[in-house]
């Protein structure tokens, strides 16, 4: 029991420190606005290079932290990989569910969250830089953080379907809490998205599939 509590405490501290470092690593993406660059196209590629470098460093830190945590705490559920056919089948199902979710969301009038407004504003002012960040960098970094690190610290015994379900729901709520207020009207959108990404990771046992789904979601969100 002591070991489990210790793992949870270390996990909470690690996740929040990583969230802070994540925001720090993305500072180059916000620099044009902070320093008041008026002609964004002349400078966007410079900031793209800078944010790529800081993101790669942070991704390396995430991978190192995950490998270290898995060596120490173990993760038998992830170690027993399903067949490639099963992985692609589950990914296909999750893509279909995501499409249905996007269509349903379109008919439910939910006010845009502050996060959505900030993203739209940033993309309008600095399109290349922020589309790159939203569609490519954010899904990679966030899936490694919200799925891989989250589950290795908090939900290891996912062979039990009840534990698996609880983990997916908790992960969805955690994902939503970081992106918007849990009491905001749009909270359900981020919760469902988080649960979709978590389900993809838990059923395929491969973060590449949840990254791909996250990228697809963010790409569609830009034009839908």
């Amino acid at each position: 029991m002591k070991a489990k509590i210790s793992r949870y405490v270390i996990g909470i501290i690690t996740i929040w420190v990583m969230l802070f470092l994540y925001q720090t690593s993305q500072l180059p993406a916000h620099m044009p606005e902070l320093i008041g660059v008026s002609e964004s196209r002349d400078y966007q590629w410079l900031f793209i290079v800078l944010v790529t470098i800081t993101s790669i460093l942070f991704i390396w830190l995430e991978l190192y932290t995950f490998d270290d945590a898995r060596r120490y705490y173990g993760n038998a559920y992830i170690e027993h990989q399903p067949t490639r056919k099963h992985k692609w089948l589950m990914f296909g199902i999750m893509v279909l569910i995501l499409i249905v979710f996007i269509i349903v969301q379109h008919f439910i009038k939910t006010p845009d969250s502050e996060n959505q407004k900030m993203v739209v504003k940033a993309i309008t002012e600095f399109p290349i830089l922020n589309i790159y960040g939203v569609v490519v960098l954010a899904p990679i970094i966030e899936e490694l953080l919200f799925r891989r690190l989250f589950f290795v610290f908090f939900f290891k015994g996912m062979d039990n379907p009840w534990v698996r379900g609880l983990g997916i729901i908790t992960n969805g709520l955690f994902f939503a809490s970081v992106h918007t207020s849990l009491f905001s009207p749009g909270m359900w959108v981020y919760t469902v998205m988080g649960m979709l990404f978590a389900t993809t990771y838990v059923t395929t046992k491969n973060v590449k599939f949840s990254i791909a789904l996250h990228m697809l979601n963010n790409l569609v969100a830009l034009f839908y």
Side-chain angles (χ1 to χ4, degrees):
M1 187 64 183
K2 262 187 177 181
K4 184 178 285 190
I5 293 173
S6 173
R7 175 162 56 88
Y8 289 162
V9 171
I10 292 172
I12 290 169
I13 294 171
T14 301
I15 293 291
W16 285 110
V17 168
M18 295 295 277
L19 279 170
F20 172 76
L21 294 176
Y22 171 34
Q23 295 298 323
T24 304
S25 72
Q26 299 306 293
L27 277 177
H30 304 290
M31 282 176 65
E33 185 178 358
L34 292 174
I35 64 178
V37 174
S38 56
E39 299 295 330
S40 61
R41 296 194 180 192
D42 296 339
Y43 299 93
Q44 280 189 95
W45 292 107
L46 170 63
F47 294 115
I48 284 174
V49 171
L50 290 176
V51 77
T52 299
I53 293 171
T54 56
S55 295
I56 288 173
L57 290 172
F58 182 71
I59 289 169
W60 174 84
L61 178 62
E62 285 183 303
L63 294 172
Y64 175 83
T65 304
F66 172 76
D67 288 339
D68 190 58
R70 192 172 65 169
R71 277 196 302 269
Y72 191 80
Y73 298 115
N75 196 339
Y77 179 77
I78 298 299
E79 288 166 5
H80 294 87
Q81 290 285 315
T83 63
R84 182 180 297 180
K85 183 178 179 181
H86 173 83
K87 290 181 181 183
W88 282 105
L89 174 63
M90 294 312 301
F91 178 66
I93 291 172
M94 297 314 297
V95 169
L96 290 176
I97 294 174
L98 176 64
I99 292 170
V100 171
F101 168 65
I102 291 171
I103 294 172
V104 170
Q105 182 187 340
H106 180 72
F107 291 102
I108 300 176
K109 302 300 180 184
T110 304
D112 290 341
S113 67
E114 288 303 314
N115 182 69
Q116 289 171 305
K117 291 175 182 176
M118 286 172 59
V119 169
V120 170
K121 181 175 182 292
I123 289 175
T124 301
E125 295 179 353
F126 308 98
I128 300 173
L129 173 62
N130 287 285
I131 288 174
Y132 172 62
V134 169
V135 177
V136 179
L137 296 180
I140 296 172
I141 292 173
E142 291 186 6
E143 289 309 304
L144 290 173
L145 178 59
F146 290 114
R147 255 53 72 178
R148 255 190 156 191
L149 279 178
F150 177 89
F151 282 105
V152 79
F153 277 114
F154 302 111
F155 290 92
K156 292 197 309 170
M158 290 188 294
D159 285 319
N160 184 321
W162 293 103
V163 174
R164 198 156 57 239
L166 178 62
I168 290 169
I169 293 170
T170 305
N171 187 264
L173 290 170
F174 174 57
F175 183 76
S177 70
V178 174
H179 286 81
T180 188
S181 167
L182 284 177
F183 302 102
S184 67
M187 182 273 289
W188 72 274
V189 175
Y190 286 102
T191 301
V192 173
M193 280 196 300
M195 289 172 63
L196 285 174
F197 302 148
T199 303
T200 303
Y201 175 66
V202 166
T203 54
T204 63
K205 302 186 182 181
N206 191 322
V207 75
K208 292 176 184 177
F209 289 94
S210 59
I211 288 173
L213 192 71
H214 199 149
M215 285 181 172
L216 176 62
N217 175 79
N218 287 10
L219 179 63
V220 172
L222 291 179
F223 303 102
Y224 191 71

